[in-house]
Amino acid sequence: MKNIFKFALVLSIGIASCQQDDNFVTPADKAEATASSLRENMLPTVPQKHQLIKHGNVKLAYYPDGKLQKVTYVAATRTSPATFATYKYNANYIIATVYYNNKVAQETTYLLDNYLRCYESIQKDYIPMGPNAYQVKESNFHYNYNSKGQLDSRINKKVPTQKTVFIWNAAGDLVKMTGYNFRSGQAYEPVQSETTLYYDQPTGDPILADLAPINSEAANLPDPYLMVFGKSSRHLVKMVTENTSLGGNYYAYALDAEGYVTKRDWYTVTDAKLIESTLYEYLISDLGFNL
């Protein structure tokens, strides 16, 4: 009897409370309202992920986890198959296989350190020597990195007297590459090439951040899109010169509203002649929030 009385008393108090405040909100309702407000306030500024899917005529595809899966360099036509590269990942290495005319043309194994940087690449090129014969040409390079995780040097393991040294500035940009060769028992001498990269120009163009970097073309790394060679330059290169040729090349960029490159024009320094225009396309997705 006492329990029934207590239940009736609690029920009457609850009804009275509801009558006194028709706008009563439960903690769950309040939490949902707060989350809804946050969503509305955040939608205009939700950060987005840009994934490069087209670079000129080159198309890039990715695995669901974001790793590079396939790069198509030449699309298939009615008369010829595509030229493309595929990528397979393991804990300590990556295998990239290039197919040309429906046959394996090149296979490169990238050995990775604990920071997932390539410390050695082993490349095999399969050179056709007839209808059913080919010659295998192998190249092997070792890579060293500085304390900041930037590529410091690359050494030809088959010809150890040959190496390339990479110089970086305080802003985190690659500014010089020097090719060396060991001759006549002397110290390394710059006999191959010296390439200098500039990130601003005398015209006063601003230095631009590189928000979706790929491997530097000037560095001549084994793969332009596989990002396993340490940190990339933080800014877009504006001009490149080489000691083995006159003049050089400079670049102009078009950016979208968020600062990502949508077009790059490549000109010669000597006569400002347009050599090539390259368009960039991205797969854009929101970085998720669970509110």
Side-chain angles (χ1 to χ4, degrees), residues 21 68 74 77-78 87 95 103 126 169 174 178 253 284:
D21 188 1
L68 189 61
V74 179
T77 65
R78 290 184 177 181
Y87 301 84
I95 297 178
K103 296 180 180 179
Y126 298 91
N169 64 14
L174 177 64
T178 306
Y253 300 90
I284 302 175

Side-chain angles (χ1 to χ4, degrees), residues 2-19:
K2 290 182 179 180
N3 290 335
I4 295 175
F5 175 76
K6 289 180 180 178
F7 174 77
L9 180 62
V10 171
L11 181 61
S12 63
I13 292 173
I15 294 173
S17 298
C18 290
Q19 291 174 342

Side-chain angles (χ1 to χ4, degrees), residues 68-73 83-87 96-99 223:
L68 189 61
Q69 180 183 25
K70 182 179 180 181
V71 175
T72 302
Y73 291 96
T83 299
F84 61 93
T86 60
Y87 301 84
T97 306
V98 177
Y99 294 86
D223 193 293

Side-chain angles (χ1 to χ4, degrees), residues 7-283:
F7 174 77
L9 180 62
V10 171
L11 181 61
S12 63
I13 292 173
I15 294 173
S17 298
C18 290
Q19 291 174 342
Q20 290 174 4
D21 188 1
D22 292 335
N23 297 321
F24 179 76
V25 179
T26 66
D29 292 337
K30 185 175 181 180
E32 178 58 31
T34 303
S36 178
S37 300
L38 281 173
R39 290 193 196 100
E40 291 176 1
N41 291 331
M42 291 180 66
L43 278 177
T45 57
V46 168
Q48 294 180 318
K49 177 182 179 181
H50 286 61
Q51 201 169 41
L52 184 66
I53 58 173
K54 193 171 183 182
H55 181 227
N57 293 322
V58 179
K59 295 182 178 180
L60 297 86
Y62 301 86
Y63 289 104
D65 62 1
K67 293 178 181 177
L68 189 61
Q69 180 183 25
K70 182 179 180 181
V71 175
T72 302
Y73 291 96
V74 179
T77 65
R78 290 184 177 181
T79 57
S80 62
T83 299
F84 61 93
T86 60
Y87 301 84
K88 294 183 178 180
Y89 297 82
N90 293 276
N92 301 313
Y93 63 93
I94 301 170
I95 297 178
T97 306
V98 177
Y99 294 86
Y100 172 74
N101 200 23
N102 285 331
K103 296 180 180 179
V104 174
Q106 183 185 93
E107 186 176 80
T108 306
T109 301
Y110 299 93
L111 305 181
L112 307 178
D113 62 16
N114 292 334
Y115 299 97
L116 301 181
R117 301 175 306 204
C118 176
Y119 68 86
E120 186 173 340
S121 65
I122 305 160
Q123 179 175 308
K124 295 180 180 180
D125 292 285
Y126 298 91
I127 304 170
M129 302 298 291
N132 299 308
Y134 58 85
Q135 178 184 357
V136 179
K137 180 181 178 181
E138 183 174 312
S139 56
N140 191 348
F141 290 91
H142 181 78
Y143 304 84
N144 297 304
Y145 299 87
N146 61 26
S147 60
K148 295 181 179 180
Q150 300 159 330
L151 185 59
D152 183 70
S153 64
R154 177 182 61 204
I155 300 173
N156 188 338
K157 293 194 70 174
K158 289 188 173 293
V159 188
T161 58
Q162 297 178 359
K163 75 172 182 178
T164 303
V165 173
F166 301 83
I167 305 298
W168 302 76
N169 64 14
D173 295 317
L174 177 64
V175 293
K176 184 172 288 189
M177 295 168 292
T178 306
Y180 293 86
N181 200 354
F182 194 79
R183 295 194 302 180
S184 304
Q186 303 297 318
Y188 282 105
E189 298 178 1
V191 297
Q192 292 182 317
S193 65
E194 186 170 84
T195 303
T196 305
L197 296 85
Y198 304 85
Y199 296 84
D200 54 358
Q201 292 179 352
T203 56
D205 290 345
I207 296 177
L208 302 173
D210 192 353
L211 301 181
I214 58 177
N215 291 322
S216 170
E217 294 171 84
N220 195 30
L221 295 170
D223 193 293
Y225 303 106
L226 191 62
M227 306 302 289
V228 293
F229 299 99
K231 293 183 178 179
S232 302
S233 292
R234 296 179 59 191
H235 301 97
L236 294 169
V237 64
K238 293 289 189 66
M239 186 165 64
V240 177
T241 61
E242 297 181 2
N243 67 336
T244 56
S245 61
L246 297 175
N249 302 310
Y250 73 90
Y251 306 93
Y253 300 90
L255 309 178
D256 66 11
E258 296 187 46
Y260 287 84
V261 177
T262 57
K263 181 184 178 184
R264 187 192 73 171
D265 290 330
W266 172 12
Y267 299 89
T268 57
V269 171
T270 52
D271 55 7
K273 180 181 179 181
L274 177 63
I275 299 175
E276 183 181 60
S277 291
T278 303
L279 298 178
Y280 294 62
E281 293 183 18
Y282 303 91
L283 176 64

